[in-house]
Amino acid sequence: GAVRRPSGRRAMSFRSHTKRLPALEHEPLTPDEASVLLQARSALGDDFASLPRDVLVQFVRGYIDEADWAGSCIKHLRELVVWRQREGVDDVLARAPDRRDEFERMWRTSVIGEDGAGHPVVVESLGRIPASDFQAAFDEPLFLRHCAYNKETLRRLCIHTSHRTARRVYKFVVVLDMHGLSLRHTARPFLHMIKTYISAFGNLYPESLQKLYIVNAPLVFTGTWAIIRPLLHPLTARKIALFAHLDKATKAMEADGVTLGTSLDAAYASGDSCSTLVRQHGLASAELRSYVPAAELALYEDSIEDACAHVAAARALQSPASSTVASPRSSFARPSSAP
């Protein structure tokens, strides 16, 4: 099936309304976050159970700065349910899109390892994409399906890492190399594909980016970036760093625990493709389930009434000032006396 954008997707600039910030990904949900999750569970009914639990947490935390936090989260989760069911996203890794080898040859996502916190580090080279040939080979629906394959690969790789380390990870690091970027890549047809990708997936995989380093950015990219940046959610935009020179980018990356090795070109060439990772780690297996910290299990397994009572008890322990800003030390947890 062709990957289509949710009909309700806002192709517009975002505006931050509150001072709330999401907790760190490995931390259990705060009482405020747990409350929004339970509101979504009540509103979505059976559809709630059809969604991966790591995705549910990302949506709760990804829309935390919206004025109507719970309403926005629920709205976008409903769109997600429709999209994932319509496109068969749960099975996209088991049934790779047509001409997958050709896609990865032209537009390769290279996973070179992990940062110090276990986030996958991805290198993409926009300037290496043969823009004209790529547009001729892949129409928009097939292009978006391959993009969904990449997104699900990285999502499930994070789950694999979470189980391996017993520490939740759902974000990844991207190094976007702009070396070789030319006017072909800023031509309207190719630029339209990039904008379509951002518009299609911006609300489908929120809170999945740890950091984006744009390196070797030429002057010609300045105008392109001015077009793309307003399409990004504020929580995403503030995670992006733009560098004209690789040496400055390398220092910034090393400070964040990201090591390229000998060179960016060598890292890109030696990294694993998404298809390789799916085979190596069994990422298409239905047995690979979301990693959920023990403190959050009650949100899914207890009745909504009991879970709400636990959340209310946890919130009562918070100071009044902490109720508007997510506090990493005030996490929801089922009381120890509960079965």
Side-chain angles (χ1 to χ4, degrees), residues 31-54:
D32 286 349
E33 291 172 336
S35 177
V36 171
L37 182 75
L38 289 174
Q39 290 178 65
R41 179 179 166 187
S42 177
L44 269 65
D46 292 341
D47 286 335
F48 181 89
S50 74
L51 292 171
R53 293 178 179 180
D54 59 299

Side-chain angles (χ1 to χ4, degrees), residues 256-308:
D256 293 336
V258 178
T259 304
L260 295 178
T262 56
S263 71
L264 181 58
D265 288 343
Y268 179 77
S270 62
D272 291 320
S273 68
C274 287
S275 295
T276 298
L277 290 168
V278 170
R279 292 191 297 269
Q280 284 181 345
H281 301 297
L283 301 184
S285 173
E287 297 180 2
L288 184 64
R289 302 294 180 88
S290 299
Y291 177 87
V292 180
E296 292 176 12
L297 290 174
L299 296 172
Y300 306 97
E301 297 176 356
D302 287 8
S303 68
I304 292 181
E305 292 76 12
D306 286 348
C308 285

Side-chain angles (χ1 to χ4, degrees), residues 18-30:
T18 77
K19 296 181 180 179
R20 290 187 298 256
L21 292 174
L24 298 177
E25 62 199 295
H26 67 274
E27 294 172 340
L29 294 174
T30 67

Side-chain angles (χ1 to χ4, degrees), residues 20 30 74 105 149 190 201 204 206 209 295 311:
R20 290 187 298 256
T30 67
I74 292 167
R105 188 167 57 251
Y149 182 99
F190 189 77
F201 290 98
L204 296 172
L209 181 67
V311 171

Side-chain angles (χ1 to χ4, degrees), residues 3 83 87 89 92-93 97 100 142-154 197 201 205:
V3 176
W83 176 74
E87 308 300 339
V89 176
V92 69
L93 299 190
R100 182 66 196 174
L142 184 56
F143 164 65
L144 292 176
R145 185 155 181 81
H146 281 285
C147 292
Y149 182 99
N150 288 352
K151 288 288 191 181
E152 282 297 296
T153 297
L154 294 174
Y197 166 78
F201 290 98
Y205 291 89

